[in-house]
């Protein structure tokens, strides 16, 4: 067996101990005589898997009792529709456009009501987070929407927008569990799990109970109505059982790592190794403003497309894979999620130093 250092933006690297445990439990989960993939979602043994996963996530994020945790399908993108269908009571919402995912959510919301773009960083290829201290928030906005970490561009909010009392909704797909979150600051948080938590196919919604309503838009599909899912503890239909099981193992791993404060220290240390090098290098440079740098996704360029391509090719051959930047940005991007070991970043930086020496 030989494992590479996988810098993929998603689906992405998972903790090795989790993969090993899943392999060990594959044929016979805890004496049940079957794989988690083979068991009824209504069985006692599966019930404890999903309940424990929820409890561990609640412990990690210190989720208050008046929030529901839903394990759903459809990915983060499905929530771009579910959020307006469920939360637009006045038919108005304000969106902050900090990248492609925020933009897609904004465009989807326009199908269901009046979605306003109240701030954007599109003018500079989303390389910064706009000033959100005094936004023109709509008086009748049902919520203000942000993408908390911009996976493609590598920016993140260091300070939350002033929503002027409106509910804040956040897509945290690419930075969930990377640092502590004050859940009470939000009405709703959702994340597709395939960046920092588990296999694609699961999306988790954390929603304040008073926002779970029956009087959603009349055409809202039963499956997309939060009330349906909340009333049935995410078991209205067959949930993505195996994916939820892996998420549960990752939650336990994060707990063992010391929880979210420890994860933050670990991630800051890891990111600093790469950012410090980018700041000192004559060949490589980061593409976003320093104040808004993400701890999870680090885009960088050499300034020469041919050299970028050569770097990606040689890095791949050396076992540093999936470093090619998003097609809309070019260059490179190293995604250094929770499960990327410090050693992976140290070795990548050494490789970059050697590449720079050999090519300048
Ligand atoms: C990857 C990603 C998405 C899309 O997730 P899907 O599960 O593929 O729909 C949405 N938002 C952010 C921030 C992402 O990183």
């Amino acid at each position: 067996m030989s494992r590479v250092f996988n810098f993929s933006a998603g689906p992405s690297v998972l903790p090795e101990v989790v993969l090993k445990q899943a392999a060990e439990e594959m044929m016979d989960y805890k004496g049940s005589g079957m794989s988690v993939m083979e068991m009824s979602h209504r069985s006692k043994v599966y019930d404890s898997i999903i309940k424990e996963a929820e409890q561990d996530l609640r412990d990690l994020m210190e989720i208050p009792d008046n929030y529901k945790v839903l394990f759903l399908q459809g990915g983060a993108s499905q929530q771009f529709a579910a959020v307006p269908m469920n939360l637009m009571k006045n038919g108005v919402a304000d969106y902050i456009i900090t990248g492609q995912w925020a933009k897609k959510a904004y465009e989807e919301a326009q199908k269901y009501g009046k979605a306003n773009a109240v701030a954007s960083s599109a003018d500079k290829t989303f390389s910064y987070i706009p000033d959100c201290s005094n936004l023109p928030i709509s008086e009748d906005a049902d919520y203000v929407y942000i993408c908390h970490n911009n996976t493609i561009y590598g920016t993140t909010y260091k300070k939350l927008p002033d929503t002027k009392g409106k509910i804040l909704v956040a897509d945290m797909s690419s930075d969930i569990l990377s640092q502590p979150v004050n859940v009470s600051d939000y009405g709703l948080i959702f994340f597709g799990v395939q960046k920092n938590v588990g296999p694609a196919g699961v999306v988790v919604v954390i929603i304040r109970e008073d926002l779970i309503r029956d009087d959603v838009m009349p055409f809202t599909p039963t499956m997309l109505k939060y009330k349906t899912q909340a009333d049935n503890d995410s078991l209205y239909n067959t949930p993505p059982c195996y994916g939820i099981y892996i998420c549960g193992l990752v939650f336990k791993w994060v707990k063992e790592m010391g929880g979210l404060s420890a994860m933050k220290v670990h991630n800051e240390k890891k990111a600093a190794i790469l950012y410090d090098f980018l700041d000192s290098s004559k060949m490589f440079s980061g593409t976003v403003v320093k104040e808004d740098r993400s701890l999870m996704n680090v885009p960088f360029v050499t300034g020469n497309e041919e050299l970028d391509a050569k770097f990606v090719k040689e890095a791949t051959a050396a076992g540093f894979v999936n470093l090619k930047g998003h097609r809309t940005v070019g260059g490179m991007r190293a995604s250094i999620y929770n499960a990327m070991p410090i050693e992976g970043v140290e070795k990548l930086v050494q490789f970059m130093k050697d590449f720079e020496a050999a090519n300048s």
Side-chain angles (χ1 to χ4, degrees):
M1 185 192 75
S2 131
R3 303 252 311 156
V4 292
F5 288 115
N6 180 7
F7 294 93
S8 170
S12 30
V13 58
L14 288 171
E16 269 187 26
V17 287
V18 165
L19 298 177
K20 278 187 187 140
Q21 185 175 346
E24 273 164 26
E25 294 175 341
M26 181 60 77
M27 301 299 282
D28 177 7
Y29 177 78
K30 293 194 174 164
S32 65
M34 57 182 104
S35 167
V36 176
M37 266 183 254
E38 301 171 299
M39 59 182 57
S40 164
H41 58 296
R42 313 244 176 241
S43 63
K44 229 174 146 180
V45 56
Y46 191 74
D47 192 58
S48 62
I49 291 175
I50 190 166
K51 293 250 163 69
E52 247 180 74
E54 175 176 343
Q55 191 55 51
D56 286 333
L57 181 62
R58 284 186 175 276
D59 296 347
L60 281 170
M61 293 184 68
E62 297 175 30
I63 299 174
D65 288 343
N66 63 326
Y67 284 72
K68 284 269 191 221
V69 175
L70 310 174
F71 291 93
L72 309 176
Q73 315 199 37
S77 302
Q78 182 121 288
Q79 295 305 313
F80 298 169
V83 164
M85 283 180 189
N86 282 272
L87 300 191
M88 271 186 173
K89 222 162 46 180
N90 304 329
V92 180
D94 290 347
Y95 280 70
I96 301 174
I97 316 297
T98 52
Q100 280 209 15
W101 295 119
K103 188 161 165 253
K104 282 189 171 156
Y106 162 66
E107 286 166 354
E108 188 71 17
Q110 287 171 350
K111 294 186 177 176
Y112 306 108
K114 190 168 180 323
N116 307 301
V118 289
S120 167
S121 51
D123 60 334
K124 289 182 183 156
T125 331
F126 302 115
S127 58
Y128 67 102
I129 299 286
D131 177 4
C132 298
S133 57
N134 186 20
L135 297 170
I137 302 291
S138 314
E139 224 154 82
D140 50 354
D142 292 306
Y143 58 88
V144 175
Y145 182 102
I146 61 169
C147 178
H148 194 264
N149 183 78
N150 297 284
T151 325
I152 295 174
Y153 301 94
T155 59
T156 195
Y157 286 83
K158 301 285 159 82
K159 192 170 177 282
L160 291 178
D162 181 353
T163 65
K164 303 187 177 170
K166 305 299 181 195
I167 290 155
L168 185 60
V169 171
D171 175 357
M172 289 196 187
S173 294
S174 55
D175 66 340
I176 195 75
L177 304 186
S178 66
Q179 59 185 3
V181 175
N182 185 19
V183 174
S184 314
D185 288 341
Y186 303 85
L188 187 154
I189 294 169
F190 68 88
F191 56 96
V193 305
Q194 72 270 27
K195 313 287 161 68
N196 226 353
V197 182
V202 183
V203 58
V204 179
V205 174
I206 301 168
I207 179 172
R208 217 173 62 201
E209 271 168 0
D210 60 291
L211 300 174
I212 302 173
R213 298 163 27 223
D214 224 357
D215 57 335
V216 298
M217 293 187 184
F219 48 75
T220 306
T222 309
M223 284 284 292
L224 292 191
K225 192 170 159 184
Y226 294 134
K227 190 161 192 323
T228 307
Q229 302 290 358
D231 286 351
N232 290 281
D233 294 325
S234 307
L235 294 169
Y236 171 74
N237 72 330
T238 319
C241 301
Y242 194 80
I244 294 168
Y245 153 71
I246 300 288
C247 293
L249 296 183
V250 172
F251 296 153
K252 289 199 187 301
W253 174 77
V254 176
K255 274 186 156 178
E256 261 161 47
M257 294 286 287
L260 300 192
S261 315
M263 241 30 259
K264 180 171 193 240
V265 172
H266 170 72
N267 288 325
E268 282 176 342
K269 199 169 150 194
K270 235 165 42 183
I273 296 170
L274 189 46
Y275 284 126
D276 287 350
F277 171 67
L278 291 173
D279 290 342
S280 69
S281 166
K282 290 201 171 58
M283 176 180 282
F284 297 100
S285 55
T287 58
V288 308
V289 303
K290 283 191 189 176
E291 309 84 79
D292 301 329
R293 282 172 163 174
S294 165
L295 285 180
M296 299 279 98
N297 311 96
V298 184
F300 57 94
V301 293
T302 64
N304 174 329
E305 276 182 33
E306 269 170 43
L307 203 54
D308 286 349
K310 184 168 190 250
F311 174 80
V312 169
K313 193 167 167 231
E314 290 182 15
T316 305
F320 306 100
V321 309
N322 291 319
L323 280 166
K324 196 170 184 317
H326 191 268
R327 56 191 171 352
T328 60
V329 187
M332 283 72 70
R333 172 179 47 170
S335 294
I336 50 175
Y337 296 117
N338 282 353
M340 171 59 65
I342 266 199
E343 186 202 355
V345 178
E346 285 170 346
K347 288 194 168 160
L348 173 66
V349 166
Q350 188 56 53
F351 181 82
M352 291 167 78
K353 282 181 182 164
D354 294 344
F355 183 88
E356 180 167 347
N359 291 277
S360 34

